[in-house]
Amino acid sequence: MKKNLIAFFILLFSVYTTFAQLQSPDQFLGYQLGDKYTPHYKIAAYFNEAAKQKPSVMKLEQYGVTNEGRPLLLAFISSAEHIQNLEDIRKNNLRLSGLLKDKPGDVNAPTIVWLSYNVHGNEASSSEAAMKMLYELLQPSSTQTQDWLKNTVVIIDPCLNPDGRDRYVNWQNSVAGKMPDDNPAAREHSEPWPGGRVNHYYFDLNRDWVWQTQRETQARLKKYHEWMPQIHCDYHEQGINSPYYFAPAAEPFHEVITGWQRSFQNIIGRNHARYFDAKGWLYFTKEIFDLFYPAYGDTYPLYNGAIGMTYEQAGNSSSGVAIIKDDGEILTLKDRIAHHFTTGMSTVEMASQYNKKLLEEYRKFFDDARNNGVGEYKTYVITTTNTAKIKALQQFFDNNGIQYGSVSGTAVKGYNYITGKEETFTANNSLAVSSYQPQATLVKVMFEPHSKLVDSVTYDITAWSLPYVYGVQTYAVKEKLAVSAYTAPVSKSYAGTSAYGYLIGYNSFDDARLLAALLNSGVKTRFAEKDFTCNATTYKKGTLIVLRNGNENKIAQMLSLVKQYNGTIAEVSGGFMESGFDFGSDKVHFIKKPRVAILAGKDVSAGSMGEAWFLFDQQLNYPATVINSDEVNAVTLKGFDVLVIPDGNYKLFTDKDAAADFKSWIMQGGRIITIEGATNQLAKADWGIKLKKSDDEEKKDDKNTYAAVKRYEDREREGIADFIPGSIYKVQLDDSHPLAFGYPNYYFTLKQNGDVYEFMKEGWNVGVIKQDAQVAGFVGSHLKEKIKDGTVIGQVDMGRGSIIYFAEDPLFRNFWENGKLLFANAVFLTGSKNQE
């Protein structure tokens, strides 16, 4: 009787909470959605209120916090029965993917639909639409919606980028008047630098899915892999004059995308079109937004078995609350909300209608991966012995749910990523990844030496293979090798506290982080310019040297830091070397702790600046002062040794007075590090480096009288001859130069421009591209002829100072791991000789 009474009250409570009155967003906020932009804290408050009012049909979870302390939220909405069994549904979903193996998965389960809003903070209508979406899904009076929820669990992330959103919204609300000004020239349509698109460190979170460099992405992807939805929708905004975009996507599709994933894009697109046609709303499909690069909110879910889609509404940061378009129509925030809301509801509808098929195809995706592997290569073997790089790769695999182990064997044949040839190699407890696993599709995408492009007009970079990103010797093997459990090698370097001195290995970014920590701690540190032999062991150039003399009170702290950063260390009993230079030689350089500044402001690429800022602040843990580019002068520069000049468009190179102050500072010992566009400007301003011209630019083509006659419809394709969306090139390094310490005599760079610089007679050509150096990715025919026989990494001495320049971005989106040591060397090692 008692049990029956308890059950009755539970049922009564469930019915009450299901039909409890939830305030609409308009009622809760005190204004209509679309009248103004809603700060993130109010969005979070509305979701919390909904969860409190509707606990039987909604669950709210905080899965992380942003850099600025704002909560990251997930709302789960479904029928009362599904919410009660939410954990069982989650586990069943993982069983269908083969990631949970306790028992078989059941396809008679709800479809998981994940809706992601506002990854770009200044594409702000989508978080407003998220509140409208939540309210509609929770309405018990909507029988149609409640029927859909019988077959679905809808997961809503109302704002992936709260810091960026609030940067935009707070600015927008601070400049808006009582009535919106729809004149495009109005202040409210001109967002100031750095804009709200990016997160706290100015990273584009929609390029970070697979790399997971940012805390927002890391927290979200941890939760994503706990659920692995069947459908994922990513909400965006584009130029104000564009109609709405929805699936199906544009070519190129990556070849691994299945027939079902392609066909369902058409199914769902036609349903969206039905609603838009009824309203007379314009839209487009199959253009611009392709499915290739793996770090987007549509491609990453596709490579993880889901139907991944991008939805793009006209709007973005220039829209304000209302703006006049080129056709004279007024685009309002309410319009934008309505459009996003419509595709959201249409998505849930199709997920419900195709519930069984979606789950069957989802299971098939993973069954095929486990049983057959994906792609030509079946095993990827990483033979590098660099423990720091192995550890970084393992972290990447763990973050993405990729299974790995080890293989051993002699005379194994595979594709050598370094030489580009099939070769025989030996594996000895080498880190290995098999293609026979649930994540086989993602494994192929991330390891493939050459990505197959069916259309060269693409939205982002076209090459990203992990061996080049991490700089590790890897072989792709066509056989299925036996992969056993991996045991990481244990470091066996030990040192006491009473030695004459200590030798610390330097061949990874972790070693650069250790060097930064030593300098921060006041440990006097030197490095060797040449290889040397001590105690019958040969030490490479760049090896760090810490002597007891001058560090008497720092030795214990130094040893602790070496352990913390997993460094390798050896004791020495004296300064006399068996071969090479002794510790008192001028070929052994003292490292002065550099005072570093980074330029920021309207002249600067926010993304490029953010990469450097993040590296110093979060990874090197080394102080770097951020200064505005328009405030650079002789006085501000006086307090710094190193100035990082990110990609941008600067006045200081062309303004006569500013340039004079700048050169004077360098002559007195200052050092600048220029990246991409900053290097290009430096060359054009005659600072000691010159852009290399292609053969076509050297001589005018007068052979074809009709060369300039082109078809209008081919204008997009004509442009790709000068297009390089991201291609990998092999760079030959002068590994005797401090910039290249820790590297072999080569490096793989990601080129996104055609800039190559002439070989310098009065400087150091540290990294050069020779002929036939392209390794992977697309390069336009005109640029292919230009990108050869030139310098891309160099140093020019100027008085007591120097210019270090990079034609490309060695910190690209913070995922190009193998470039970070180059950048650190530019900061810590290249100025040491001049500073002694």
Side-chain angles (χ1 to χ4, degrees):
M1 178 67 181
K2 186 177 181 181
K3 288 183 178 180
N4 291 337
L5 192 60
I6 292 173
F8 170 76
F9 280 113
I10 291 174
L11 178 63
L12 188 64
F13 176 75
S14 175
V15 171
Y16 169 76
T17 55
T18 299
F19 288 92
Q21 186 66 37
L22 172 66
Q23 285 185 310
S24 70
D26 297 356
Q27 293 168 328
F28 182 84
L29 298 170
Y31 55 85
Q32 288 187 10
L33 281 179
D35 281 351
K36 60 190 292 188
Y37 288 100
T38 306
H40 180 262
Y41 80 92
K42 289 188 177 181
I43 297 170
Y46 184 70
F47 272 73
N48 275 285
E49 178 65 17
K52 185 168 69 174
Q53 293 293 330
K54 299 285 187 177
S56 65
V57 289
M58 177 188 171
K59 177 186 174 185
L60 187 66
E61 180 178 338
Q62 180 174 328
Y63 66 87
V65 293
T66 68
N67 288 288
E68 297 175 16
R70 295 179 176 89
L72 295 164
L73 303 173
L74 283 180
F76 301 82
I77 307 102
S78 191
S79 67
E81 179 185 0
H82 292 334
I83 292 298
Q84 189 174 358
N85 298 307
L86 204 56
E87 180 63 9
D88 291 338
I89 292 170
R90 184 187 72 81
K91 288 181 177 178
N92 180 70
N93 213 47
L94 295 183
R95 293 182 187 112
L96 290 172
S97 67
L99 295 171
L100 184 61
K101 301 176 181 178
D102 57 344
K103 62 181 181 180
D106 184 2
V107 295
N108 296 305
T111 297
I112 312 299
V113 181
W114 189 307
L115 307 178
S116 290
Y117 296 92
N118 225 156
V119 67
H120 292 148
N122 59 9
E123 298 173 7
S125 70
S126 66
S127 286
E128 312 286 342
M131 290 187 281
K132 183 175 177 65
M133 190 79 185
L134 177 69
Y135 178 70
E136 183 63 30
L137 290 174
L138 292 177
Q139 284 305 297
S141 59
S142 176
T143 56
Q144 185 181 57
T145 301
Q146 299 313 306
D147 284 343
W148 295 344
L149 291 176
K150 292 175 183 177
N151 297 322
T152 60
V153 172
V154 179
I155 302 175
I156 293 179
D157 188 330
C159 188
L160 280 65
N161 182 9
D163 292 350
R165 177 184 174 82
D166 270 4
R167 187 184 308 123
Y168 174 73
V169 169
N170 290 340
W171 165 76
Q172 177 65 225
N173 288 340
S174 74
V175 298
K178 181 179 179 181
M179 300 293 293
D181 189 336
D182 56 22
N183 187 327
R187 176 179 61 165
E188 61 201 71
H189 301 300
S190 181
E191 185 186 16
W193 192 93
R197 176 184 178 90
V198 289
N199 78 341
H200 176 79
Y201 285 103
Y202 307 164
F203 276 73
D204 186 333
L205 297 179
N206 194 40
R207 272 77 174 167
D208 196 44
W209 278 74
V210 73
W211 307 114
Q212 299 175 49
T213 69
Q214 300 300 292
R215 67 183 299 160
E216 296 94 339
T217 319
Q218 292 163 4
R220 183 174 72 257
L221 266 295
K222 181 180 180 183
K223 190 57 60 177
Y224 187 94
H225 283 284
E226 291 176 7
W227 279 91
M228 295 290 283
Q230 281 78 42
I231 293 177
H232 179 267
C233 301
D234 197 22
Y235 285 85
H236 289 266
E237 291 189 296
Q238 55 187 326
I240 63 170
N241 294 299
S242 297
Y244 198 96
Y245 163 81
F246 50 71
E251 292 287 357
F253 279 57
H254 196 286
E255 61 180 323
V256 299
I257 296 173
T258 68
W260 165 248
Q261 289 174 320
R262 291 168 181 256
S263 66
F264 192 76
Q265 289 222 343
N266 277 281
I267 291 169
I268 205 161
R270 289 184 182 278
N271 199 58
H272 295 343
R274 182 168 62 89
Y275 286 108
F276 274 59
D277 288 343
K279 296 282 189 178
W281 296 337
L282 290 177
Y283 55 88
F284 69 98
T285 65
K286 304 182 287 293
E287 294 182 82
I288 302 176
F289 304 103
D290 59 67
L291 297 174
F292 197 66
Y293 178 54
Y296 283 123
D298 51 12
T299 49
Y300 187 84
L302 280 162
Y303 302 149
N304 281 269
I307 308 296
M309 293 170 291
T310 290
Y311 296 154
E312 294 268 357
Q313 162 63 42
N316 72 34
S317 64
S318 66
S319 303
V321 174
I323 190 169
I324 299 175
K325 302 189 298 177
D326 287 350
D327 62 7
E329 296 289 327
I330 296 177
L331 175 68
T332 68
L333 179 56
K334 290 184 177 181
D335 295 332
R336 294 150 62 193
I337 294 169
H339 299 162
H340 270 334
F341 170 74
T342 300
T343 53
M345 295 301 288
S346 174
T347 299
V348 176
E349 177 186 12
M350 288 294 97
S352 175
Q353 185 174 327
Y354 285 84
N355 170 223
K356 186 74 174 290
K357 179 69 171 175
L358 281 162
L359 268 70
E360 288 173 346
E361 291 290 342
Y362 178 84
R363 180 173 63 182
K364 183 178 183 298
F365 178 95
F366 291 103
D367 285 350
D368 288 348
R370 291 195 309 275
N371 297 329
N372 306 318
V374 176
E376 176 185 9
Y377 298 108
K378 304 305 180 185
T379 313
Y380 301 91
V381 183
I382 299 102
T383 58
T384 185
T385 56
N386 189 312
T387 55
K389 292 186 176 184
I390 290 173
K391 182 181 175 184
L393 262 177
Q394 285 180 280
Q395 185 64 60
F396 176 86
F397 296 151
D398 291 340
N399 288 347
N400 288 285
I402 294 173
Q403 299 166 5
Y404 58 90
S406 72
V407 298
S408 296
T410 57
V412 183
K413 189 175 182 180
Y415 175 86
N416 184 338
Y417 284 77
I418 306 302
T419 65
K421 300 176 181 177
E422 288 282 332
E423 296 175 2
T424 300
F425 68 97
T426 298
N428 181 17
N429 188 36
S430 299
L431 187 67
V433 178
S434 173
S435 182
Y436 293 84
Q437 62 166 297
Q439 293 292 62
T441 297
L442 186 62
V443 167
K444 173 190 161 44
V445 170
M446 299 312 299
F447 271 100
E448 58 191 357
H450 306 285
S451 300
K452 183 179 178 182
L453 266 174
V454 298
D455 191 327
S456 49
V457 180
T458 183
Y459 198 66
D460 212 295
I461 66 173
T462 56
W464 52 77
S465 188
L466 292 176
Y468 304 126
V469 171
Y470 285 84
V472 291
Q473 177 68 67
T474 304
Y475 295 87
V477 180
K478 294 180 180 179
E479 303 172 54
K480 180 183 179 181
L481 302 181
V483 178
S484 56
Y486 180 73
T487 303
V490 179
S491 174
K492 296 182 180 179
S493 59
Y494 304 98
T497 58
S498 58
Y500 169 86
Y502 304 85
L503 305 177
I504 301 171
Y506 191 82
N507 60 9
S508 73
F509 181 61
D510 273 2
D511 296 328
R513 295 176 66 224
L514 169 57
L515 172 57
L518 293 172
L519 296 176
N520 280 335
S521 300
V523 177
K524 294 178 180 177
T525 308
R526 294 168 169 81
F527 72 88
E529 182 183 316
K530 302 281 188 179
D531 294 355
F532 63 94
T533 303
C534 181
N535 297 331
T537 301
T538 299
Y539 292 88
K540 299 292 290 182
K541 59 184 75 71
T543 296
L544 303 180
I545 302 166
V546 176
L547 303 179
R548 167 169 288 282
N549 185 22
N551 286 307
E552 291 84 356
N553 299 322
K554 298 286 186 178
I555 299 301
Q557 185 178 15
M558 179 272 295
L559 293 173
S560 176
L561 288 171
V562 171
K563 183 177 180 181
Q564 177 183 339
Y565 288 95
N566 298 307
T568 58
I569 189 168
E571 297 179 1
V572 290
S573 57
F576 186 88
M577 298 298 102
E578 294 153 30
S579 69
F581 297 99
D582 300 329
F583 290 166
S585 167
D586 65 357
K587 300 299 187 295
V588 175
H589 304 286
F590 176 74
I591 304 173
K592 176 187 174 182
K593 181 182 179 182
R595 298 164 298 175
V596 180
I598 308 169
L599 289 189
K602 60 185 179 181
D603 295 340
V604 186
S605 160
S608 181
M609 180 269 162
E611 291 161 2
W613 181 27
F614 181 80
L615 189 89
F616 282 107
D617 200 42
Q618 291 290 325
Q619 296 183 309
L620 286 173
N621 298 306
Y622 190 86
T625 301
V626 177
I627 59 178
N628 288 323
S629 60
D630 55 5
E631 296 174 359
V632 174
N633 54 47
V635 175
T636 54
L637 289 173
K638 191 174 181 180
F640 301 102
D641 305 302
V642 176
L643 180 65
V644 178
I645 307 181
D647 186 26
N649 186 20
Y650 297 92
K651 297 175 184 176
L652 57 88
F653 293 133
T654 54
D655 181 274
K656 187 176 180 180
D657 293 336
D661 284 347
F662 207 28
K663 286 184 177 180
S664 175
W665 173 75
I666 297 173
M667 295 285 287
Q668 295 173 40
R671 189 167 8 124
I672 64 171
I673 302 171
T674 63
I675 297 172
E676 279 196 295
T679 303
N680 180 289
Q681 282 189 277
L682 204 67
K684 291 177 179 178
D686 192 23
W687 280 58
I689 61 175
K690 292 184 178 180
L691 271 168
K692 183 178 180 294
K693 294 183 178 181
S694 68
D695 294 340
D696 288 342
E697 291 170 317
E698 294 284 0
K699 57 183 179 179
K700 186 176 180 180
D701 181 10
D702 57 0
K703 295 180 181 179
N704 184 358
T705 306
Y706 301 103
V709 180
K710 302 170 184 177
R711 288 183 60 81
Y712 180 76
E713 66 179 356
D714 296 333
R715 64 194 183 281
E716 189 175 55
R717 304 227 159 259
E718 289 288 342
I720 68 173
D722 296 302
F723 184 46
I724 178 169
S727 180
I728 296 173
Y729 275 75
K730 189 174 185 178
V731 176
Q732 298 299 319
L733 288 180
D734 172 8
D735 60 357
S736 71
H737 192 285
L739 254 178
F741 284 175
Y743 288 86
N745 63 358
Y746 59 85
Y747 162 74
F748 293 95
T749 189
L750 183 69
K751 279 202 73 62
Q752 290 190 284
N753 60 57
D755 292 349
V756 178
Y757 297 89
E758 292 183 2
F759 295 134
M760 297 177 292
K761 293 180 181 179
E762 303 297 328
W764 306 105
N765 303 288
V766 181
V768 301
I769 288 179
K770 298 183 178 180
Q771 293 194 28
D772 301 320
Q774 185 195 2
V775 174
F778 174 79
V779 183
S781 57
H782 293 171
L783 291 183
K784 190 171 288 189
E785 290 302 312
K786 179 181 178 182
I787 304 175
K788 64 181 181 181
D789 298 328
T791 300
V792 291
I793 303 170
Q795 176 173 345
V796 181
D797 292 333
M798 186 178 289
R800 293 174 52 216
S802 60
I803 299 168
I804 312 296
Y805 67 87
F806 295 95
E808 288 82 49
D809 184 354
L811 307 178
F812 183 69
R813 295 178 184 168
N814 202 249
F815 80 73
W816 201 261
E817 289 291 329
N818 202 32
K820 293 177 182 178
L821 181 60
L822 271 174
F823 184 84
N825 288 349
V827 173
F828 297 124
L829 301 187
T830 56
S832 297
K833 186 174 181 179
N834 290 338
Q835 292 168 358
E836 291 179 38

